[in-house]
Amino acid sequence: MRLYKHASSADHEHLVPLLQSEPSPSASTSQISYRPQMSKGKARRPWKSYIWDTWDKPPEERKFLAKLDACLLTYAALSYFSKYLDQQNVTNAYVSGMKTDLGLHGNELNYITTAWTCGYVIGQIPSNLLITRIRPSIWIPLMELIWSSLTMVLASANSFSTLIAMRFFVGLAESTFYPAIQYVIGSWYKGDELAKRACIFHTASAIGPMFSGFLQAGAYTGLNGVHGLAGWRWLFIIDGIITIPIALLGFLIMPDLPTTTRPSIFYTQEQIDIGKQRMEEVGRKPPGKFTKKKVAGFFKTWHLWLLTPLYILFNNAGGPATSMIFWLQSFNTPGHTVYTVSQINTYPIGIQAVQVVTTLIWAWSSDAMELRWPPILLAATWHMIVCIMLAVTPLYTHITRRWVLYYMTSVQGGLSGLILSWANELTGYDNEKRSFVVASCNTFAYVMQAWLPIVIFPQVEQPRVHKGNIATACIDAGLIIVCLAVLFLSKRDERRARSNQLASNPTVEIDMEDDVDSKAKSSEVTSVHDRMN
């Protein structure tokens, strides 16, 4: 049972745990306390906190968060940029000479992508459980060094089988990164901070492909033939050269968890204590012991069974964004070139630019409301309409319309940070469960991605892929339905937790009134007290 008191800060109140006991993994939801994501009792925040959430915090906490943001988000964004640079470069290399040089045909590009996905799937859950026991600041940069080295080795590939093998091991090394970073971010930040950090980090997934297009264009035009290497081979070498310094930086600035981070040139012991206290205030537990009962408890509540499908649906709705590069290439016929290789690689960058903008909009609005579901529903609805329009729009008779639609095919692409922020919050009462659920979301999303694109977006049907666009619209509809189910159950659990706390502790008041009324009551009580004295 968790009891709450009010702990006033300079501008607002927090529900702070008074007494907490470790919930049993098999405990019912009525025994588990949830911090409401947005309640009527929250004080009105100053306007500047909606621009950046640290501006209304006490000076010491603000200083600590500035250091944490500078270290964690800088490393996370740079590494995610390099990871997505690597993921995108295979497609860029394919349309820039690799297909011809290695004699690739049919759906072999899909199979190369699937090999990476298989490696990526295998490593995620073991890695994420492992970083609850070993230091993330060592494990994550080490794996980044490995995948950057393997990426450079891809430049020597001379056959389809070599590409398959190397991409599998690159995926295995990269599997450690994304769920681990989301778990670490969820170990440091509160509800009005979490989505912005998760999504700022996630924007690198759009910037990576943007940069890859320019990089491939530059490699093709500037390095093609240098030292006897084709431009697409230079792309893999340059990717590795970019990533290695980022990995080395991670060993220096990547923080661990609040309970395992050591005092250093970046953080004093007092600042680490602030980090611990902040997580105690929102009920987010530190690592505990693994027991059979605890592990069994991972599967006994609805979180795993709904948050994972929610993320699966989001992650597999990105297929239409892959079609634009093939659409531009399809204008070229033997003896007649409409778009050059450089144009084919750079024009689709608008897709990622739109994703960056919408991702930041979803993040800021979500943290401002401290609600995750409104941006999810809006983005999924918007994307569903785009997919339907792509399915009914002819390929070559409405060029401008189709171009605009392609640019909007990643408006839902920034929801990853919101969904995993939601998962971090809803499972924060059990650290190991939180790690497991976050990793499961990403793992099983890629299990689906290992085969679904081959079925609904086969390369031989690009760029029309009519069934793929229709199927993605249905995926978006499913995303909306599951999001509403998560919302319903999370609200139900909050109501049960409050009801049980009040029923068993009638002397403990959880004030859910408006801040103005609260302050008025406080002033009134003070006035009465003064008159009595």
Side-chain angles (χ1 to χ4, degrees):
M1 181 61 61
R2 181 180 302 161
L3 310 182
Y4 289 92
K5 70 182 177 78
H6 285 295
S8 296
S9 65
D11 298 290
H12 58 280
E13 295 177 328
H14 302 284
L15 289 176
V16 182
L18 280 174
L19 297 175
Q20 301 183 111
S21 60
E22 181 71 24
S24 167
S26 59
S28 66
T29 52
S30 63
Q31 294 175 291
I32 300 172
S33 293
Y34 293 88
R35 179 177 181 267
Q37 292 184 17
M38 188 67 177
S39 67
K40 294 179 182 178
K42 289 198 173 206
R44 289 188 179 91
R45 294 163 52 184
W47 65 267
K48 62 184 180 181
S49 70
Y50 292 101
I51 300 174
W52 189 246
D53 46 59
T54 66
W55 290 355
D56 67 330
K57 290 181 167 57
E60 284 303 314
E61 185 177 5
R62 187 162 62 243
K63 183 178 180 181
F64 161 69
L65 288 174
K67 288 183 179 180
L68 184 64
D69 289 339
C71 292
L72 178 53
L73 295 186
T74 297
Y75 172 67
L78 288 173
S79 295
Y80 205 38
F81 159 79
S82 70
K83 177 179 174 296
Y84 255 81
L85 190 65
D86 167 65
Q87 284 183 237
Q88 182 69 20
N89 63 21
V90 170
T91 301
N92 290 124
Y94 182 87
V95 299
S96 302
M98 185 174 75
K99 175 183 178 181
T100 303
D101 290 354
L102 301 188
L104 303 178
H105 59 276
N107 285 325
E108 287 186 341
L109 177 60
N110 292 106
Y111 298 139
I112 293 168
T113 302
T114 299
W116 177 90
T117 303
C118 289
Y120 195 67
V121 163
I122 290 171
Q124 287 188 63
I125 292 177
S127 172
N128 233 42
L129 293 178
L130 189 62
I131 62 167
T132 66
R133 297 297 178 267
I134 66 173
R135 296 174 60 190
S137 62
I138 295 175
W139 179 250
I140 297 174
L142 177 62
M143 291 299 103
E144 188 171 10
L145 275 179
I146 292 174
W147 93 58
S148 59
S149 300
L150 292 173
T151 297
M152 296 177 72
V153 174
L154 277 168
S156 65
N158 289 310
S159 67
F160 170 68
S161 59
T162 301
L163 285 172
I164 288 283
M166 294 307 301
R167 289 299 290 174
F168 171 82
F169 287 109
V170 169
L172 187 63
E174 289 184 358
S175 69
T176 61
F177 182 75
Y178 186 72
I181 291 291
Q182 288 288 3
Y183 165 75
V184 173
I185 288 176
S187 299
W188 287 100
Y189 292 103
K190 292 184 174 183
D192 62 334
E193 307 158 350
L194 193 53
K196 283 193 286 294
R197 272 70 178 187
C199 289
I200 288 172
F201 150 56
H202 189 74
T203 55
S205 68
I207 296 173
M210 290 171 64
F211 191 79
S212 182
F214 286 116
L215 185 62
Q216 180 59 56
Y220 187 85
T221 57
L223 292 174
N224 191 33
V226 174
H227 298 300
L229 296 178
W232 65 266
R233 295 185 187 274
W234 278 109
L235 178 63
F236 292 122
I237 295 172
I238 293 170
D239 287 351
I241 292 173
I242 290 173
T243 307
I244 288 174
I246 297 173
L248 296 176
L249 178 66
F251 287 112
L252 177 64
I253 69 173
M254 172 74 189
D256 295 309
L257 306 181
T259 53
T260 58
T261 297
R262 304 168 182 175
S264 65
I265 59 172
F266 298 107
Y267 310 106
T268 65
Q269 184 60 54
E270 289 75 15
Q271 290 171 333
I272 295 171
D273 290 341
I274 290 174
K276 293 177 183 178
Q277 176 62 28
R278 282 163 43 84
M279 292 300 96
E280 290 174 6
E281 290 175 358
V282 296
R284 216 163 292 159
K285 292 283 190 175
K289 292 182 179 180
F290 276 108
T291 63
K292 289 182 180 179
K293 189 175 183 180
K294 177 185 278 285
V295 173
F298 295 170
F299 304 92
K300 291 184 178 180
T301 61
W302 58 265
H303 303 91
L304 178 68
W305 308 110
L306 280 182
L307 290 169
T308 301
L310 182 67
Y311 196 84
I312 288 171
L313 290 164
F314 146 74
N315 196 69
N316 287 276
T322 65
S323 297
M324 187 176 185
I325 195 168
F326 295 102
W327 181 62
L328 295 172
Q329 190 180 44
S330 70
F331 283 87
N332 296 339
T333 57
H336 179 66
T337 299
V338 177
Y339 296 107
T340 66
V341 170
S342 295
Q343 289 171 328
I344 291 171
N345 279 292
T346 55
Y347 286 169
I349 289 172
I351 297 173
Q352 285 78 42
V354 172
Q355 181 181 332
V356 169
V357 173
T358 53
T359 296
L360 298 178
I361 291 172
W362 307 147
W364 256 256
S365 61
S366 177
D367 273 356
M369 297 180 288
E370 292 191 58
L371 295 170
R372 309 307 173 203
W373 60 269
I376 295 174
L377 294 182
L378 176 59
T381 303
W382 183 358
H383 192 253
M384 180 171 61
I385 294 170
V386 168
C387 292
I388 293 171
M389 292 296 294
L390 279 172
V392 301
T393 301
L395 277 176
Y396 305 112
T397 57
H398 298 284
I399 304 298
T400 301
R401 181 194 303 174
R402 197 166 189 88
W403 200 295
V404 171
L405 289 171
Y406 277 133
Y407 275 3
M408 292 190 292
T409 50
S410 283
V411 293
Q412 92 305 340
L415 295 181
S416 174
L418 267 64
I419 295 172
L420 294 181
S421 293
W422 210 2
N424 271 306
E425 290 168 327
L426 292 172
T427 59
Y429 60 88
D430 185 326
N431 182 81
E432 287 69 34
K433 180 176 182 177
R434 180 166 65 88
S435 174
F436 181 76
V437 170
V438 167
S440 295
C441 287
N442 212 47
T443 295
F444 290 102
Y446 278 90
V447 168
M448 293 290 292
Q449 190 169 306
W451 60 269
L452 188 61
I454 298 175
V455 175
I456 64 175
F457 284 94
Q459 187 181 328
V460 293
E461 294 182 12
Q462 292 283 11
R464 185 71 182 99
V465 285
H466 180 269
K467 69 179 181 183
N469 291 323
I470 295 297
T472 304
C474 294
I475 289 171
D476 287 322
L479 177 61
I480 293 169
I481 293 169
V482 176
C483 178
L484 291 173
V486 172
L487 174 64
F488 171 79
L489 290 174
S490 63
K491 292 298 182 183
R492 182 205 66 180
D493 290 348
E494 288 176 13
R495 290 193 298 270
R496 288 180 177 179
R498 293 192 198 105
S499 176
N500 279 282
Q501 287 167 355
L502 289 173
S504 59
N505 299 277
T507 60
V508 178
E509 180 184 5
I510 302 180
D511 187 1
M512 301 301 291
E513 296 182 6
D514 192 60
D515 181 58
V516 174
D517 295 335
S518 299
K519 290 183 178 180
K521 288 182 179 180
S522 178
S523 299
E524 185 178 330
V525 170
T526 303
S527 177
V528 171
H529 183 272
D530 290 342
R531 287 198 300 270
M532 291 176 65
N533 290 292

